[in-house]
Amino acid sequence: MNSAKAYRKWLRKTGQEMDALLFIKECYPNDDYSKRPTILVGIVGAPSSISGFLKKWRTNRVDVDSKGKPCLERMMKILAQGEIHNNDAEDAIDWDQAMSESTLKVSMQSVMELADAVGGSVWRGITESVVGGP
């Protein structure tokens, strides 16, 4: 990612267009902020909104290469996709704070708590497998 701020802006704008809630988090291994983060993007919404969002993400030029030329996203991996079993997730999370730029860089514990709030132990387990949780 060469233009992180523009990339996040594109993600947020597309989330609004597709009527999906979105959070972006940079999680640092062992909370060591000197290392390269794992970037997690969560998309919550109707299945049609999510599939439309993912299609746009793969087909639009969302970043720039080292020469400043617009490019497609090629490194995105879908780690999990499914229904949220926590029916109160939408109300249990302060989405304004979760989507805020000020809460971008977070500890592993914060990411685990967010995963728990969104989808309970299933989503927490998936998140732990990605970021190497406790």
Side-chain angles (χ1 to χ4, degrees), residues 10 29 43 60 66 80 82 85-86 95-96 104 106 115 131:
W10 184 90
I43 308 164
N60 285 304
S66 58
H85 299 288
N86 180 359
W95 285 100
D96 289 333
L104 176 67
V106 296
V131 297

Side-chain angles (χ1 to χ4, degrees), residues 6-25:
Y7 195 125
R8 289 190 304 270
K9 182 178 177 181
W10 184 90
L11 287 170
R12 288 188 177 101
K13 182 179 127 222
T14 303
Q16 288 178 337
E17 289 173 6
M18 302 305 293
D19 197 29
L21 298 171
L22 176 84
F23 60 85
I24 306 165
K25 300 297 174 200

